[in-house]
Every structure is written in C-alpha cells, then in structure tokens.
Amino acid sequence: MISLIIPCYNEQESLPIFYREVTSVARRMESEYELLFVDDGSKDRTLPILKELAAQDEHVTYFSFSRNFGKEAAMYAGFCNAKGDYIAVMDADMQDPPSLLPQMTAILESGEYDSVATRRTSRTGEPPIRSWFAKRFYRLVNRISDADIVDGARDFRLMRREMAEAIVSMGEYNRFSKGIFGWIGFRTYWMPYDNIERAAGETKWNFWKLFKYAIDGIISFSQAPLSIASWFGMVMTLLSFLFLFLIVIRKAVFGDPVAGWASTICVIVFIGGIQLFCLGIIGQYIAKAYLETKKRPHFIISETNGEDVRKII
Ligand code: UDP
Ligand code: MG
C-alpha cells in the first residue's frame, strides 16, 4: 500500500485539480493507496472540500488542525498516521507532479534504493533574487552541517516504511525536513525534473519567511555559528595585545600623550557590536533549546474521518 501525505493550507483552488490527477494516476497503478490530506488550519473552503471528497471516496482521509501549525507539522502528522509500506509527501498545488509516482514506485520495487527524492533542475517562475539567496544558502549549510542538503531538493519523496519510521522518531520541535531527510541517511535516488509553476492559488512563502526558514535550518543542523564568537574573541584578543605593545613602545620612545578620541570610539563601538552579534547568535540557540524543553505538541488534530488517529503528538 502507498500512503500519500498532502499538506494543505488554503488550497481550495488547487485541491480539486490535484485530487483528479492523483486519483487517475493511483488507479492506473496496481497497488492499494490512501490519500492523507492534512488541513493545516485553512481559512478558506479547504476543509469542506476535503469532507466532500472523503464522503465520495474511501481512499481519502483528512486530518484538520486546530490552527495553522506550518507545513513541517502537517508532514509530521501525516508520517505519524500513515499506514502504507511506501509513503510519499506531495504538495497540493501540482508542483509535485503525481505522474512521476509510477516511475518512483518502480525504482523502490527494484530494491536498490530506500527512497526516491525529487530535485528540480530549474527555477523558472521564481524571482532571481530568491534563487540567488537559495543557492548561497545551500552552499553555506552544506559546508557547516553534517546533514547532506541537496540544492533544489523538494519535499516530494517516496520512501520505504523504515525510513518514515526513522523520521517519526526524530521528534524535535524545530523541524527542518530537508535536513532531517539528509541526516537519517538511507540510500536515496535523486530524480531530476523541470520546475513546474503552481496550478492555482498563491504561494504561502514570501522572501522574509523563506529567510527565517533558512536561518532555522542552519541553526537546527549546525553548531558552527556558535563558534563564531570564539573566533572573533581570539582575533580581538591578539589585536589588543598588539595595540598594547605598540602604545607602550610609542610612549617610551616619543613620550606622546594619548591622542585620538575618534579612534577610541571606533574601537569601542566595534567591540560592542561584535559582542551583541555573538550574544544574538547564542540567544537563537537558547530560544530553540527553550522551545524543545517545553515538549509542546507538534500539532493538534481537531477533526478527522480516520480511525485510530494519533491526534496530539
Ligand atoms: N502548506 C501548509 N502549511 C503552511 C504553508 C503551506 O500545509 O503553513 C502547504 C501548502 O498547502 C502546499 C505546500 O505546503 O501544499 C507547499 O506550499 P507552497 O506551494 O505555498 O510553497 P512553494 O511550493 O511555493 O514552496
Ligand atoms: Mg508550491
């Protein structure tokens, strides 16, 4: 059996298109399937549409969150409740084409791989500045973390149950799926495809949200920023010894009185700035640790048509 996890947030326009496509593909495949729609606190007609679909089609299961918890939480809810031997995550906006599913299943069946992941080879339809920052992000994060995060990787993947169980076992509160997928390992086949633009509706991401997501990703999978403070500290200490030495020599040789209020202020401001910057970095980590220790649930399901559903995790 194949379980498809579909996070939906305000997807009333795309849902009917997606459902039609995915059903026609799934029917052509031989295996049993279930469609797990996770309504992430949508404010439009997403939930009523899901209820209609569930009433007509027994393959449809919906989980409705009590508020918007974000795509990461929606995917986690899906993983926690999927029953299939193969499990996939897909977006509802048709950017993850269901037509790739038969090919992906065939690759898993061959037994050589544990998961088939997709990677877009182009970024058509995306603002150039966003692409530029995305490229920098991937380069940086791969250099400073031990999770292998592939540029252009989408969350769209089909995996064996073992891998999904590993993902469920990563119960961290600050979830960054691209990092989690890379961190748990397993043999992954990368399937390239051309970027496809959204079928309907609007993207939920803006530049600022993506930027914060990128910072979260770095902090979740790397401790490198914490060591910045130590490096700055070491360099500054060396410099200050050098200055001390120079000033003593100058006083001894030329007997100069201390001059240069401007340069003093510059140094004070510079050091103050670096200290605040480093404090800020440490603060980011403390904030994450604070949230983790609270052990709040990742999501709360308020409504569902499924049986034995794990509602609060
Ligand atoms: N999504 C979600 N919760 C959110 C934001 C998005 O479940 O808070 C879902 C959304 O409905 C879609 C998928 O995540 O199925 C990807 O979102 P989107 O298409 O807006 O992102 P993009 O493809 O532009 O990166
Ligand atoms: Mg999309």
Side-chain angles (χ1 to χ4, degrees):
M1 174 152 109
I2 302 182
S3 302
L4 299 179
I5 300 168
I6 307 117
C8 308
Y9 178 52
N10 295 345
E11 296 286 4
Q12 59 179 11
E13 288 94 2
S14 346
L15 261 185
I17 312 174
F18 175 81
Y19 172 75
R20 212 176 330 125
E21 283 290 318
V22 81
T23 308
S24 85
V25 172
R27 283 210 181 117
R28 267 181 276 132
M29 289 163 59
E30 272 143 37
S31 38
E32 217 4 77
Y33 68 96
E34 61 173 356
L35 303 174
L36 308 174
F37 289 97
V38 185
D39 164 37
D40 186 9
S42 301
K43 292 178 185 68
D44 64 354
R45 284 190 33 80
T46 300
L47 184 58
I49 293 175
L50 287 179
K51 283 183 179 166
E52 274 167 40
L53 293 178
Q56 299 160 11
D57 185 347
E58 54 176 18
H59 294 106
V60 175
T61 308
Y62 64 84
F63 310 100
S64 183
F65 283 180
S66 58
R67 66 168 169 88
N68 180 254
F69 280 89
K71 185 184 175 187
E72 294 289 344
M75 290 197 284
Y76 194 55
F79 280 120
C80 291
N81 288 298
K83 299 191 180 73
D85 310 299
Y86 291 166
I87 296 164
V89 185
M90 301 183 78
D91 284 3
D93 58 4
M94 298 294 295
Q95 281 188 301
D96 300 332
S99 54
L100 290 180
L101 280 173
Q103 214 181 328
M104 293 164 85
T105 328
I107 293 172
L108 279 197
E109 300 267 74
S110 77
E112 236 181 288
Y113 294 97
D114 300 303
S115 88
V116 183
T118 56
R119 188 170 67 84
R120 51 181 179 169
T121 48
S122 61
R123 287 176 170 271
T124 40
E126 193 182 66
I129 178 111
R130 185 177 295 184
S131 305
W132 189 86
F133 271 102
K135 285 219 183 77
R136 296 284 93 66
F137 165 73
Y138 284 110
R139 193 167 302 161
L140 177 71
V141 80
N142 274 315
R143 194 174 295 166
I144 63 176
S145 82
D146 48 3
D148 171 26
I149 299 174
V150 177
D151 184 9
R154 293 197 52 93
D155 290 334
F156 180 27
R157 5 175 123 210
L158 183 72
M159 64 193 81
R160 275 180 214 289
R161 186 156 190 93
E162 291 78 26
M163 193 165 165
E165 275 163 13
I167 292 170
V168 171
S169 78
M170 304 259 295
E172 60 211 77
Y173 188 77
N174 296 286
R175 299 187 74 75
F176 183 68
S177 280
K178 287 187 170 78
I180 291 177
F181 292 155
W183 193 91
I184 56 176
F186 290 97
R187 297 162 304 172
T188 300
Y189 178 85
W190 286 97
M191 188 184 265
Y193 74 102
D194 266 336
N195 190 35
I196 300 167
E197 288 184 50
R198 209 169 220 293
E202 273 171 25
T203 173
K204 275 95 209 164
W205 294 93
N206 55 33
F207 184 79
W208 186 235
K209 263 190 169 174
L210 276 174
F211 185 75
K212 287 212 291 214
Y213 187 58
I215 299 281
D216 280 349
I218 291 176
I219 290 181
S220 299
F221 280 91
S222 167
Q223 282 89 40
L226 277 176
S227 56
I228 290 178
S230 331
W231 286 111
F232 268 138
M234 256 190 273
V235 172
M236 300 295 295
T237 315
L238 278 178
L239 269 181
S240 69
F241 275 124
L242 198 68
F243 282 143
L244 193 81
F245 184 67
L246 284 179
I247 287 169
V248 170
I249 297 282
R250 208 168 98 166
K251 171 78 183 156
V253 176
F254 304 105
D256 261 1
V258 177
W261 179 83
S263 53
T264 313
I265 288 296
C266 284
V267 170
I268 291 176
V269 169
F270 179 61
I271 296 177
I274 287 179
Q275 281 178 339
L276 285 182
F277 178 69
C278 295
L279 259 185
I281 292 175
I282 297 169
Q284 290 282 336
Y285 282 88
I286 294 179
K288 299 276 174 214
Y290 174 63
L291 276 180
E292 294 290 348
T293 52
K294 285 195 171 199
K295 297 249 174 281
R296 283 183 181 160
H298 294 82
F299 57 84
I300 300 169
I301 295 177
S302 58
E303 241 185 297
T304 173
N305 66 336
E307 283 158 27
D308 307 328
V309 172
R310 300 171 71 188
K311 286 188 178 160
I312 301 178
I313 294 180

